[in-house]
Amino acid sequence: MDLLGNRYVQMAIVAIAAIILAITVVSAFSEDEPEPDMWCNFKGVNGQGPVFMGRVQGPVERVAIRAQISEPRSGNTYDIKGNATFQYRGQRRNAQTEGEITLNSSDQVTYIDLTLTGEELGRNGLRMATLNENGRAASSTSRAYLYRDSRFRLSHPMFFACSVDLPDS
């Protein structure tokens, strides 16, 4: 019996070749997402007020951000763009984030002004910023605030820690 003459063997060879071709084409044309330059983790302070936006209503417990840093805009201020995962009431949701950060001479994040957007967050999304006790933009290395409505910007404090790996210029 001639194996290559067998119709089933020929179909199997064609199927394997098609699968290999498909994998090659997909891997050749797919873009790898760049590695993040910045990682931040935010944890809600106990007793915080709820955040109301879109389908999310309740205290946001955690936010994790992975982002790419642009070239410096001015001094040590950088634009960032990336992805965020936030957790509220034990549920995890994804969002996109962009905004700006400022670093000190030790490459430690000292200022944050970000917007989180996504289907779960409503039309305007969420803001995350380092603020002083009067609700004005200020430097901080450990506390930021999450809000949608600027009237309530101090009601949802979050502790944060960031790690930055600046791209070589």
Side-chain angles (χ1 to χ4, degrees):
M1 174 178 209
D2 182 20
L3 266 160
L4 291 177
N6 186 323
R7 181 175 66 168
Y8 296 110
V9 172
Q10 290 174 348
M11 288 182 356
I13 291 172
V14 168
I16 291 170
I19 290 170
I20 291 171
L21 179 63
I23 290 171
T24 303
V25 167
V26 167
S27 65
F29 289 104
S30 67
E31 291 184 26
D32 291 333
E33 187 173 305
E35 286 293 315
D37 303 314
M38 183 185 88
W39 302 262
C40 288
N41 287 304
F42 298 82
K43 182 181 183 302
V45 176
N46 289 338
Q48 64 195 336
V51 179
F52 296 96
M53 73 252 115
R55 295 184 204 153
V56 178
Q57 297 183 8
V60 175
E61 299 150 4
R62 296 182 183 277
V63 178
I65 294 176
R66 296 170 40 116
Q68 288 76 41
I69 297 176
S70 71
E71 292 296 317
R73 205 162 27 130
S74 64
N76 288 339
T77 299
Y78 299 83
D79 288 323
I80 67 148
K81 188 171 188 172
N83 297 309
T85 303
F86 63 97
Q87 178 179 330
Y88 72 100
R89 294 184 180 161
Q91 302 176 32
R92 290 184 189 267
R93 299 288 187 248
N94 295 316
Q96 294 77 45
T97 187
E98 61 183 295
E100 69 179 60
I101 60 167
T102 300
L103 305 177
N104 64 14
S105 59
S106 303
D107 292 340
Q108 185 178 21
V109 174
T110 60
Y111 173 76
I112 295 173
D113 185 9
L114 305 175
T115 301
L116 281 72
T117 57
E119 183 180 325
E120 298 285 326
L121 299 176
R123 185 176 65 221
N124 297 324
L126 282 175
R127 295 285 307 267
M128 183 174 280
T130 51
L131 306 170
N132 65 17
E133 62 277 353
N134 297 320
R136 300 200 190 282
S139 295
S140 177
T141 57
S142 63
R143 187 177 288 212
Y145 294 85
L146 186 66
Y147 62 94
R148 182 178 74 95
D149 187 331
S150 61
R151 295 175 296 172
F152 305 112
R153 64 181 163 251
L154 295 175
S155 66
H156 203 82
M158 302 193 87
F159 294 117
F160 76 90
C162 294
S163 177
V164 175
D165 183 18
L166 288 177
D168 295 330
S169 300

